[in-house]
Amino acid sequence: MPIELQGLRTVIYPVADLDAAKLWWTTLLGREPYFDQPFYVGFQVAGYELGLLPEASPADGALTYWGVESVQDAMDAAVAVGAVEHAAATEVGEGIITGSVLAATGNVVGFIYNPHFRLPA
């Protein structure tokens, strides 16, 4: 069952040292994060999300999230063609739902439903 990807939405970098990563990205981007908590730091970059996640494995590499209407449906479709669940579909706050699969190709593929996402005009 094919799914419709709505485009890229978010890149999450797993980090071992959240404070060091936050300082590095703040310096590189020239601005403070818009969201700054011990469990997640988020920057807005040209309308997209750049996140730092201390609870994920840096060995997974950057996690890219594709926009979809239903994260669970996208994950089910991916599993139907050989993927396995990597992270269950979960609401992470404000109606935003994320989940990921480990594709048969060995890549982690993330899906996100974000009712607040809007590209700048």
Side-chain angles (χ1 to χ4, degrees):
M1 161 183 159
I3 62 168
E4 183 176 331
L5 299 177
Q6 299 172 339
L8 294 172
R9 297 289 188 265
T10 302
V11 175
I12 305 287
Y13 293 100
V15 297
D17 183 335
L18 185 60
D19 290 332
K22 179 173 61 175
L23 176 61
W24 191 86
W25 280 102
T26 297
T27 303
L28 180 68
L29 298 173
R31 65 178 170 274
E32 296 291 323
Y34 80 92
F35 188 87
D36 188 354
Q37 294 293 319
F39 58 87
Y40 183 82
V41 171
F43 295 87
Q44 287 290 332
V45 179
Y48 297 94
E49 176 88 1
L50 184 158
L52 307 175
L53 187 62
E55 298 299 318
S57 172
D60 285 340
L63 302 172
T64 303
Y65 288 86
W66 292 93
V68 293
E69 278 299 314
S70 168
V71 171
Q72 191 61 60
D73 287 352
M75 290 180 64
D76 291 346
V79 167
V81 294
V84 295
E85 183 179 286
H86 175 262
T90 305
E91 182 178 345
V92 295
E94 299 183 6
I96 300 167
I97 300 169
T98 64
S100 58
V101 297
L102 181 60
T105 59
N107 305 104
V108 176
V109 178
F111 301 107
I112 186 169
Y113 170 74
N114 183 346
H116 314 288
F117 177 80
R118 303 285 180 274
L119 283 174

